[in-house]
């Protein structure tokens, strides 16, 4: 392959591509196209603007490359190349020297409209809040709760409560608009973090510069939203029809026009004082919007301990000194506060006898145990509310919603909906260590046939819930089906009890299932509501360290429902290893345990395919084998690696041969 004619430009495009991929930005596709076009181009460019002829490189990207080239020339003492602008003269026909050309109607090139949020709207506040982070630092980011705390003083609309009682949208709904316009990027699991893209930094810098020049920084304080929030759309966009050639000038003009339209006409009324808080809640302190100023705040506990020398480098506006939480006896325990952007936990709790995080504590009386029921659990298509109504008659008010895992589970619901948000967490529910999977007998048979039964048990194991209940509900089936699948059903039930260690409960009809759910709820209320609950902060969780962290803890700890739903979701931020496991389990006979054993030796699909291809390259003596011998070695590869185990991890010779045939076919 020929060398690139412009290696310096290609190197800068590769750096932009890697940064976009790390930030999970949508611009990675554009940078990839531009990088591939630059590598394949045989023409040497003297100026980056000449690369606009290539596919994927536009004026904006070429302008960034020009800035990089200017910095490169300045650092190395080289002259900056100039762009030659030669206008082509229109040639006249030889037979008509005096004829004047007839200029056709010239069309004005349509400029791309620049998105500028309205003053003190939701997008305006989010951009200003995210601009407090360090630029070009992809590891930093703000969680949803941290972002709301910093952005709320800059917005007239609430980020938590809809302005209109008949609607469900808050100012946070504008985050979707910013993501669609590639101004904000999102990453992280289970705790999602947000940051600004390159385009978002440009808009945020312009907004901050114009508001400072206009002397309207005093608008950052809270304004009375009762009279003006209903007159303004949440996501107002200033469309620039007639804009100058310079895009920065167009953004500046739009921002100034927006500021003039929303400038205060007279003295504003003072903000209404907040109601005094109860003793059980933590005091709230509104953080300052200045990025360099550190103010005292009791919004976030220290989620991870870090050396004192590194705290100044990771300081944030919401960092404070200390806060206190009441325990069950009424005493207040001092809890340090620091940045929430600490490193991942070190799983050495058993060695040092200390926790790798600062747990949050819910005192008895601040929560109630509630049953959460999957909305797909119905009696029939025409009678969808039978289970909920029967539970209500037995004194249980279930919460009905779609569940990512299981058919019923139990949560500790806070009496104060904003209790967890004041501790830096999302939602108001904490998942308990009990989950139930309901299987009607006909559904159990169908799930055994299509492999869903093993896949669901594998996901149950990955969820980290310690107490799993499999409820088998009997139903009348045909005699032929009963005789054919009786052994399969009994084998599946025995395997669930002995191998997986799950509790199996068998009921005769739906009413018995409802009574069992009601008794379980009452039992869990007695078990949990009289004791405090320890909560693992979401910032200490990640898909790779979640299960090892739970196994290293001596006492039971719980996580929020939002974090649990993100960790067990089938499609939420799947890693390449998760996809590889799903691909392996598509082969009949490969369960979750067998797939994980294969992944221990070949962690990615590429590594597995390369290992299968290596089986046909010859033996140790360099003798090339025929096609039949190569196919035999591919069929025996998986069996030789995982065929010697005992139990669910053992892969038989026939199943290993099937995997080798599927993945090793040329």
């Amino acid at each position: 392959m020929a060398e690139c004619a412009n290696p310096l430009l290609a190197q800068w495009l590769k750096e932009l591509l890697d940064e976009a991929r790390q930030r999970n930005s949508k611009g990675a596709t554009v940078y990839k196209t531009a990088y591939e076009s630059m590598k394949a181009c045989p023409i040497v460019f003297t100026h980056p603007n000449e690369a606009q002829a290539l596919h994927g490189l536009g004026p904006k990207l070429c302008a960034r490359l020009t800035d990089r080239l200017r910095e490169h020339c300045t650092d190395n003492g080289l002259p900056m190349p100039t762009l030659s602008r030669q206008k082509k003269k229109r040639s006249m026909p030889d037979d008509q020297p005096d004829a004047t050309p007839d200029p056709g109607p010239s069309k004005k090139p349509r400029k791309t409209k620049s998105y500028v949020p309205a003053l003190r709207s939701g997008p305006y506040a989010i951009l200003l809040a995210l601009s407090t982070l360090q630029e070009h630092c992809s590891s930093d980011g703000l969680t949803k709760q941290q972002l709301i705390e910093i952005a709320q003083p800059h917005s007239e609309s609430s980020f938590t409560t809809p302005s209109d009682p008949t609607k469900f949208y808050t100012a946070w709904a504008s985050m979707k608009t910013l993501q669609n316009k590639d101004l904000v990027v999102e990453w992280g699991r289970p705790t999602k973090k947000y940051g600004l893209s390159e385009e978002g930094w440009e808009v945020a810098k312009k907004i901050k510069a114009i508001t400072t020049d206009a002397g309207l920084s005093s608008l950052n304080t809270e304004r009375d939203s009762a009279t003006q929030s209903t007159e303004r759309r949440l996501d107002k966009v200033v469309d620039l029809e007639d804009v100058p050639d310079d895009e920065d000038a167009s953004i500046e003009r739009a921002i100034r026009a927006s500021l003039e339209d929303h400038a205060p006409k007279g003295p504003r009324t003072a903000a209404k004082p907040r109601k005094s808080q109860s003793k059980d809640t933590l005091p709230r302190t509104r953080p300052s919007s200045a990025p360099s100023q550190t103010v005292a705040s009791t919004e976030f506990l220290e989620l991870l301990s870090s050396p004192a020398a590194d705290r100044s480098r990771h300081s944030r506006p919401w960092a404070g000194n200390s806060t206190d939480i009441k325990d069950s006896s009424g005493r207040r325990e001092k809890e340090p506060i620091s940045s929430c952007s600490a490193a991942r936990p070190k799983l050495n709790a058993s060695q040092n006898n200390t926790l790798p995080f600062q747990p949050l504590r819910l005192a008895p009386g601040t929560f109630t145990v509630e049953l959460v029921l999957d909305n797909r659990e119905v009696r029939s298509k025409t009678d969808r509310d039978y289970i909920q109504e029967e539970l209500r008659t037995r004194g249980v008010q279930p919460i009905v919603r779609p569940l990512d895992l299981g058919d019923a589970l139990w949560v500790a619901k806070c009496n104060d909906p904003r209790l967890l948000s004041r501790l830096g967490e999302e939602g108001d529910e904490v998942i308990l260590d009990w989950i139930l999977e309901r299987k009607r007998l006909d559904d159990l048979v169908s799930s055994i046939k299509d492999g869903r039964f093993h896949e669901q048990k594998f996901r149950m194991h990955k969820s980290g819930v310690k107490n799993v209940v499999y409820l088998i509900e009997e139903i009348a089936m045909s005699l032929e089906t009963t005789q054919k699948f009786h052994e399969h059903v009994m084998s599946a039930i025995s395997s669930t009890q002995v191998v997986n260690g799950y509790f199996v409960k068998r009921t005769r009809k739906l009413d018995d299932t409802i009574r069992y759910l009601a008794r379980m709820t009452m039992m869990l209320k007695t078990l949990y509501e009289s004791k405090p609950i320890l909560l693992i902060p979401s910032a200490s969780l990640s898909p790779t360290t979640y299960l090892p962290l739970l196994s290293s803890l001596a006492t039971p700890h719980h996580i929020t429902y939002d974090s649990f739903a993100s960790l067990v979701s089938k499609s939420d931020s799947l890693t390449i290893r998760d996809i590889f496991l799903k691909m392996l389990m598509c082969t009949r006979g490969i369960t979750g345990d067998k797939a994980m054993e294969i992944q221990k030796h070949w962690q990615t699909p590429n590594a597995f395919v390369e290992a299968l291809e290596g089986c046909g390259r010859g033996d140790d003596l360099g003798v090339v084998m025929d096609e039949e011998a190569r196919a035999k070695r591919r069929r025996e590869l998986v069996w030789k690696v995982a065929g010697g185990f005992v139990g669910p991890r053992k892969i038989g010779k026939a199943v290993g041969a099937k995997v080798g045939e599927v993945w090793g076919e040329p």
Side-chain angles (χ1 to χ4, degrees):
M1 184 177 179
E3 295 183 358
C4 179
N6 304 275
L8 200 57
L9 298 180
Q11 177 186 350
W12 293 335
L13 288 174
K14 184 64 167 59
E15 293 175 359
L16 293 175
L17 173 61
D18 295 339
E19 183 180 354
R21 284 175 174 174
Q22 187 177 6
R23 297 175 67 92
N24 196 21
S25 174
K26 297 179 181 178
T29 306
V30 179
Y31 293 135
K32 181 180 179 182
T33 305
Y35 174 64
E36 293 176 350
S37 300
M38 184 63 70
K39 284 198 307 181
C41 179
I43 304 174
V44 179
F45 298 126
T46 59
H47 196 278
N49 282 348
E50 298 176 359
Q52 294 187 25
L54 300 180
H55 178 59
L57 282 93
K60 197 168 186 179
L61 185 54
C62 290
R64 292 186 184 177
L65 295 177
T66 303
D67 295 338
R68 289 285 188 94
L69 180 61
R70 186 177 294 107
E71 294 177 1
H72 176 75
C73 293
T74 303
D75 296 340
N76 297 274
L78 301 175
M80 178 66 183
T82 58
L83 179 63
S84 59
R85 299 185 179 181
Q86 298 178 355
K87 296 183 178 180
K88 296 182 179 180
K89 296 183 179 179
R90 190 168 182 177
S91 59
M92 302 298 298
D94 297 336
D95 54 348
Q96 297 179 359
D98 299 334
T100 58
D102 184 16
S106 60
K107 290 186 177 180
K108 229 178 182 180
R110 187 174 182 180
K111 295 286 292 184
T112 304
K113 298 179 181 179
S114 300
Y115 174 82
V116 180
L119 182 68
R120 298 189 61 79
S121 62
Y124 170 89
I126 291 175
L127 290 177
L128 284 184
L130 291 176
S131 65
T132 60
L133 296 172
Q134 296 181 3
E135 190 175 1
H136 306 301
C137 186
S138 57
S139 61
D140 288 345
L142 295 179
T143 63
K144 178 180 178 181
Q145 184 60 31
Q146 296 168 359
L147 183 55
I148 289 177
E149 291 295 331
I150 302 177
Q152 188 58 70
H154 303 283
S155 175
E156 294 178 350
S157 303
S158 174
F159 281 86
T160 56
T161 306
S163 57
D164 190 350
T166 61
K167 296 181 180 180
F168 302 96
Y169 295 101
T170 62
W172 182 255
S174 57
M175 174 61 75
K176 190 67 175 178
T177 303
L178 296 177
Q179 290 179 340
N180 292 337
K181 295 184 177 296
D182 203 15
L183 299 179
V184 175
V185 292
E186 171 190 311
W187 70 92
R189 176 187 178 199
T191 305
K192 296 181 180 179
K193 291 189 176 183
Y194 302 90
L196 291 176
S197 62
E198 294 292 339
E199 295 80 1
W201 276 109
E202 293 180 4
V203 177
K205 288 178 181 178
K206 285 294 178 181
I207 291 177
K208 295 173 71 175
I210 298 305
T211 51
T212 303
D213 296 342
L216 298 178
S217 59
S218 60
L219 290 177
N220 291 334
T221 57
E222 293 186 356
R223 183 184 294 184
D224 186 9
S225 60
T227 58
Q228 298 187 9
S229 61
T230 57
E231 302 173 0
R232 182 175 297 109
R233 294 178 58 188
L234 175 65
D235 217 356
K236 183 178 179 182
V237 179
V238 179
D239 293 335
L240 307 179
E241 298 289 350
D242 300 326
V243 294
D245 294 336
D246 188 8
E247 184 179 2
D248 292 341
S250 64
I251 298 178
E252 182 175 344
R253 174 178 297 183
I255 296 174
R256 289 187 181 277
S258 177
L259 291 176
E260 293 174 359
D261 294 340
H262 296 82
K265 305 301 181 180
R268 297 189 305 271
T269 58
K272 295 181 180 180
R274 296 179 178 269
K275 294 182 179 180
S276 59
Q277 299 175 341
S278 61
K279 296 181 180 180
D280 294 336
T281 60
L282 299 179
R284 295 178 57 86
T285 303
R286 185 74 66 179
S288 174
S289 60
S292 60
Q293 183 181 2
T294 304
V295 297
S297 173
T298 56
E299 291 294 321
F300 304 101
L301 296 178
E302 180 176 359
L303 303 183
L304 296 174
S305 59
S306 58
D310 296 337
R311 292 179 185 242
S312 59
R313 183 167 57 91
H314 295 289
S315 60
R316 289 290 180 271
W318 58 84
N321 296 325
S322 64
T323 186
D324 18 327
I325 303 178
K326 275 192 175 183
D327 59 6
S328 57
S329 60
R331 295 181 291 105
R332 292 186 176 270
E333 301 175 354
K334 287 290 181 178
E335 300 287 352
I337 293 181
S338 67
S339 170
C340 293
S341 60
R344 287 183 177 179
K346 298 180 180 179
L347 303 180
N348 56 356
S350 59
Q351 300 177 1
N352 300 334
N353 295 327
T354 58
L355 294 178
F357 57 87
Q358 182 65 45
L360 309 179
R361 188 174 183 274
L362 297 181
T366 60
F367 61 89
T368 57
V369 175
E370 303 291 343
L371 169 65
V372 182
L373 193 66
D374 191 4
N375 60 357
R376 289 160 289 192
E377 292 299 307
V378 296
R379 184 181 186 182
S380 62
K381 293 182 179 180
T382 57
D383 191 3
R384 305 184 65 88
D385 299 332
Y386 178 79
I387 299 179
Q388 297 92 290
E389 292 174 356
E390 289 296 319
L391 285 172
R392 292 189 186 99
T393 58
R394 288 170 171 80
V396 177
Q397 183 72 26
I399 302 173
V400 182
R401 66 167 69 119
L403 297 179
D404 293 291
L405 183 65
D407 297 321
L409 52 84
W410 287 265
V411 298
K413 190 174 183 63
C414 298
N415 298 330
D416 184 4
R418 303 196 63 183
L419 177 60
L420 291 181
S421 63
R422 288 196 293 271
L423 300 177
E425 300 293 328
E426 297 181 9
D428 60 345
E429 296 173 350
V430 177
I431 191 77
L432 301 179
D433 274 337
W434 291 85
I435 190 170
L436 182 140
E437 178 71 25
R438 173 185 173 232
K439 288 290 183 185
R440 213 169 58 176
L441 205 54
D442 55 348
D443 183 30
L444 177 62
V445 172
S446 62
S447 63
I448 293 175
K449 291 192 293 183
D450 59 18
R452 287 186 296 110
F453 181 69
H454 298 288
E455 189 265 344
Q456 288 173 348
K457 289 197 298 183
F458 174 70
R459 293 181 60 214
M460 287 286 188
H461 171 70
K462 298 284 288 184
S463 68
V465 178
K466 297 179 180 178
N467 303 291
V468 179
V469 178
Y470 260 81
L471 191 144
I472 311 298
E473 186 178 305
E474 297 182 2
I475 189 175
M477 295 191 301
S478 63
L479 180 61
E480 180 183 359
T481 305
T482 304
Q483 294 177 349
K484 183 178 180 180
F485 293 99
H486 176 71
E487 294 184 358
H488 296 78
V489 171
M490 298 307 297
S491 176
I493 294 176
S494 301
S495 173
T496 303
Q497 291 176 310
V498 178
V499 179
N500 302 109
Y502 299 155
F503 177 75
V504 177
K505 170 68 177 178
R506 303 193 66 170
T507 58
R508 293 183 176 274
K509 54 185 178 179
L510 180 59
D511 292 337
D512 294 343
T513 302
I514 296 174
R515 282 194 292 269
Y516 180 76
L517 289 175
R519 290 197 303 269
M520 278 287 296
T521 305
M522 297 303 177
M523 184 269 293
L524 293 178
K525 281 179 174 290
T526 306
L527 182 64
Y528 281 100
E529 290 184 353
S530 60
K531 301 177 182 178
I533 290 181
L534 298 179
L535 180 65
I536 302 176
S538 299
S540 304
L541 300 174
S542 68
T544 56
T545 62
Y546 171 56
L547 292 180
L549 179 62
L550 288 181
S551 61
S552 65
L553 299 175
T555 57
H557 286 67
H558 308 271
I559 62 176
T560 62
Y561 177 81
D562 293 341
S563 300
F564 176 80
S566 178
L567 287 170
V568 302
S569 176
K570 288 185 177 181
S571 58
D572 190 7
S573 302
L574 285 176
T575 62
I576 186 65
R577 296 186 178 184
D578 297 334
I579 298 176
F580 186 30
L581 288 175
K582 289 180 176 291
M583 295 169 67
L584 289 172
M585 293 173 64
C586 292
T587 304
R588 188 176 182 86
I590 297 296
T591 61
D593 295 322
K594 293 180 174 63
M596 291 186 67
E597 193 59 39
I598 295 176
Q599 194 191 57
K600 288 181 181 179
H601 295 83
W602 305 284
Q603 297 186 357
T604 61
N606 186 34
F608 188 40
V609 172
E610 288 181 353
L612 291 172
E613 292 177 351
C615 294
R617 293 173 183 171
D619 55 11
D620 298 336
L621 299 178
V623 180
V624 180
M625 296 178 295
D626 56 0
E627 181 60 32
E628 183 178 354
R630 291 196 297 266
K632 181 179 179 180
R633 292 188 64 178
R634 286 195 295 265
R635 290 195 297 268
E636 295 178 350
L637 177 64
V638 177
W639 172 69
K640 289 182 178 180
V641 170
F645 294 101
V646 178
R649 295 186 300 166
K650 180 179 179 180
I651 299 179
K653 193 170 184 179
V655 177
K658 187 184 301 182
V659 175
E661 291 176 359
V662 172
W663 288 82
E665 289 183 356

